[in-house]
Amino acid sequence: MSGSASDTADTARVPGVPGADLLAALLDGMDAALCALDASGTVTHWNREAERILGWTAREAVGRPGFDGWAARSADAGEIRARLLRAMSAPGRQVHEFALLRKDGGRVLVRTQTAGVRAADGRPAGVYCAFSEVHTQIDLERSLALSEALFTDAAWGVVLVDVDLRPAVVNGYAARALGTARGSLLGRPLGELVTQGVEELESALQHVLAAGSPPEPADIWVTLRGARGERRRCWRCGFVRLASPLAEEPEPVPLGVGWLFQDVTEARLAEQDADRMRFRWSQLHRAGAAAAECEDPARAAAVLLDFALAGFADHVLVDHATPEGRLVRALASPAGAPGPVAPVASGGIPLRYPATHPALQALGRQGPTRASATPGSPRWSTDRLWPAGTAHALCLPLRARARTLGIATFLRTPSRPAFEREDAVYAETVAARVAAALDVGEALGPGGGG
């Protein structure tokens, strides 16, 4: 390596641009500070980033014999020069940390990567040294380490989504949450994996691309399509807009979105269950207080059912059991529109329930019976003498003083889920209170309520 820049750049010529000018432009355009020394230790190259870090210009640096007396203290300069020149005979790159001097007299710790340069005949010709402030290098290494950790060991999902809203990088947690392999997710539209909820997710990603990162995470419910069928999940999502750190525009074009999420389905379902139970038992408390003010026991039973319907079912029917074991409609909620539970003028005519009717099953087993319509059964509800359009039923015996007074039937439309075991527990409590009110009515006889 010679002391002239033109001697090292005769293989990098562009028509109309001198080789030395091209080399100088390349060196000055680098983001890393770079200097070069020839075999004797004389500085031959010094770029603008080196000038920014240390304050010494290329004119002041090039041609100096090492760093002694200007870029390093005399006590350190000899060791620094020797370690740099040893890179001429060492294989690969050598990494060192040195304390150098700024032009203003301050000291700065730099980390260097040094490699030897050989002449055309293979003999050592010098070294080049790329360096940066240690804290800058550490920040970079921390950023790289963080990125690596997020995509290997993170306890939440991390997905980098490009501007076309397609996954570009996916970590292991996210792949497991989406139910597929990491590689198979790349470049695929989110709609191929997410059915319900994909519009909300894509809308959030588009908003982040256009307006920036939202101030707080958001819960998004999605339904996933996979080999195990459809799965309903809740993800706690955070979004960060990604822009290139090398861009210089005031508002650089975004590279995509960093999407971080955790599966919080179990926690959200538990919260919903707790809220639902608090509401239901609050309704029971209010219903008991309201029913206590009713002089007519049948009216008290209707009030109890009115409170029980809120948030629980769409319709309720009460069938009175005759001494012959037949069922006669006694109370019902309106079939066409919401309204209060009211007595039914049945004239004492028994209902023509088929033998397999859920109400008769509940009567026979003396316990709750659940039933739901099968797909493609439009007459399922009307065949059972229930309001048209209902899809789920829960029948419970009305027991008081060791007797079955009748059957209470709660009905839901297809927009609601089927009745579960915990629904039956709540309904049994309601049925016990309704049965107690009806039992009082029977004991008082016709007109006994007032």
Side-chain angles (χ1 to χ4, degrees):
M1 178 179 289
S2 70
S4 171
S6 60
D7 291 340
T8 64
D10 55 357
T11 60
R13 299 184 180 275
V14 174
V17 179
D21 293 342
L22 176 61
L23 179 58
L26 291 174
L27 293 178
D28 285 341
M30 295 177 64
D31 292 322
L34 188 139
C35 69
L37 292 79
D38 63 15
S40 66
T42 300
V43 178
T44 61
H45 296 82
W46 191 267
N47 72 349
R48 289 188 185 276
E49 185 65 12
E51 177 182 345
R52 186 194 67 79
I53 293 176
L54 296 178
W56 301 97
T57 66
R59 184 180 298 274
E60 295 170 317
V62 173
R64 288 182 179 264
F67 297 151
D68 189 6
W70 62 288
R73 296 190 309 174
S74 296
D76 301 329
E79 182 186 357
I80 292 174
R81 181 175 180 275
R83 292 172 68 179
L84 291 178
L85 293 181
R86 277 201 297 270
M88 287 191 297
S89 56
R93 290 179 297 175
Q94 306 297 308
V95 178
H96 305 284
E97 289 186 2
F98 300 129
L100 298 180
L101 289 178
R102 291 193 179 97
K103 188 176 181 180
D104 61 10
R107 300 182 74 197
V108 57
L109 186 64
V110 300
R111 181 173 295 178
T112 67
Q113 294 189 47
T114 307
V117 177
R118 297 188 175 276
D121 59 4
R123 291 181 301 172
V127 294
Y128 76 84
C129 173
F131 64 92
S132 61
E133 295 178 79
V134 166
H135 71 81
T136 302
Q137 181 70 20
I138 291 176
D139 287 345
L140 174 61
E141 291 180 2
R142 284 173 177 162
S143 296
L144 294 174
L146 174 61
S147 299
E148 191 67 23
L150 286 175
F151 288 106
T152 53
D153 304 324
W156 54 84
V158 182
V159 181
L160 300 190
V161 181
D162 64 22
V163 292
D164 295 322
L165 306 187
R166 296 174 184 243
V169 183
V170 180
N171 77 341
Y173 182 106
R176 291 190 297 273
L178 289 163
T180 186
R182 293 175 64 179
S184 64
L185 288 169
L186 305 183
R188 294 174 60 185
L190 293 173
E192 291 186 7
L193 297 169
V194 181
T195 53
Q196 298 177 11
V198 66
E199 297 85 359
E200 184 178 0
L201 180 57
E202 290 183 340
S203 176
L205 293 170
Q206 289 171 343
H207 173 78
V208 174
L209 285 171
S213 306
E216 58 185 22
D219 285 358
I220 298 180
W221 282 92
V222 298
T223 300
L224 302 175
R225 181 189 295 116
R228 293 176 289 174
E230 292 191 342
R231 295 179 294 133
R232 182 80 168 156
R233 310 304 296 171
C234 182
W235 291 337
R236 184 72 166 164
C237 299
F239 304 94
V240 181
R241 183 167 63 173
L242 305 178
S244 172
L246 304 179
E248 296 183 358
E249 300 101 11
E251 294 187 8
V253 176
L255 298 176
V257 176
W259 167 30
L260 295 87
F261 68 93
Q262 276 191 314
D263 191 320
V264 293
T265 307
E266 304 306 324
R268 295 297 176 265
L269 289 177
E271 291 171 2
Q272 291 178 3
D273 288 343
D275 291 341
R276 181 164 53 246
M277 293 306 296
R278 279 194 295 269
F279 174 76
R280 288 179 178 178
W281 296 113
S282 173
Q283 287 293 96
L284 276 181
H285 174 76
R286 296 173 58 200
E293 300 301 319
C294 297
E295 295 183 2
D296 180 8
R299 178 59 188 153
V303 167
L304 288 167
L305 292 169
D306 283 332
F307 277 92
L309 277 178
F312 180 70
D314 297 290
H315 301 291
V316 65
L317 309 171
V318 173
D319 300 332
H320 172 68
T322 67
E324 296 79 18
R326 308 293 295 275
L327 294 175
V328 178
R329 185 65 43 82
L331 298 170
S333 60
V341 176
V344 175
S346 63
I349 300 175
L351 295 160
R352 299 178 61 186
Y353 284 157
T356 57
H357 195 282
L360 296 180
Q361 293 178 15
L363 186 65
R365 70 173 59 166
Q366 294 296 297
T369 298
R370 289 176 283 161
S372 292
T374 56
S377 302
R379 293 185 53 82
W380 182 83
S381 56
T382 54
D383 287 347
R384 288 158 179 77
L385 305 183
W386 291 332
T390 55
H392 310 290
L394 174 60
C395 301
L396 306 105
L398 298 172
R399 297 278 296 171
R401 292 192 295 158
R403 297 182 303 132
T404 301
L405 306 181
I407 297 294
T409 301
F410 293 96
L411 300 169
R412 289 177 176 174
T413 58
S415 62
R416 292 178 181 264
F419 289 99
E420 301 290 344
R421 183 179 298 274
E422 55 267 26
D423 296 323
V425 172
Y426 170 72
E428 283 183 305
T429 305
V430 175
R433 298 190 180 194
V434 171
L438 296 178
D439 184 51
V440 170
E442 284 192 4
L444 293 175

